[in-house]
Amino acid sequence: MLATPERVRKDGGQNEIPVWHRPVGRIVEEFQPITCSDSDGIVFPAPKQDVPLDLDRPGERWCTDCITLIRDARKRRSS
């Protein structure tokens, strides 16, 4: 699944972890819309990458809302 990372600080801001979002459409003026929000997105996004839905990379995770929306859409298509 193509995804774009959001860098989220944890541990009091010492470390960053990538939280993956499903992008929607194309980048407009350095802003990438994302599936989980009608108004929020990634500013100055990194290049999109192919990220497995069953992500098991240490220190990385899918956005909870994005992964739920992706799985719900797949269930609807398969029904």
Side-chain angles (χ1 to χ4, degrees), residues 9 38 53:
R9 294 200 183 276
D38 291 333
L53 293 179

Side-chain angles (χ1 to χ4, degrees), residues 4 7 10 14 17 24 28 34 37 39 48 54-55 57-58 64 70 73-74:
T4 189
R7 300 280 177 195
K10 66 176 202 169
Q14 298 297 329
I17 62 165
V24 178
V28 178
I34 52 180
S37 176
S39 58
K48 297 173 190 169
D54 58 346
L55 180 64
R57 298 179 196 162
T64 305
I70 293 166
R74 286 182 172 211

Side-chain angles (χ1 to χ4, degrees), residues 8-70:
V8 176
R9 294 200 183 276
K10 66 176 202 169
D11 301 331
Q14 298 297 329
N15 296 308
E16 289 184 345
I17 62 165
V19 175
W20 294 96
H21 292 271
R22 182 170 177 246
V24 178
R26 30 183 205 148
I27 298 171
V28 178
E29 296 181 17
E30 302 300 329
F31 178 81
Q32 174 65 68
I34 52 180
T35 299
C36 61
S37 176
D38 291 333
S39 58
D40 292 333
I42 309 296
V43 179
F44 297 109
K48 297 173 190 169
Q49 296 180 32
D50 190 22
V51 178
L53 293 179
D54 58 346
L55 180 64
D56 64 353
R57 298 179 196 162
E60 298 183 25
R61 67 178 180 83
W62 272 98
C63 161
T64 305
D65 292 335
C66 281
I67 197 72
T68 299
L69 291 166
I70 293 166

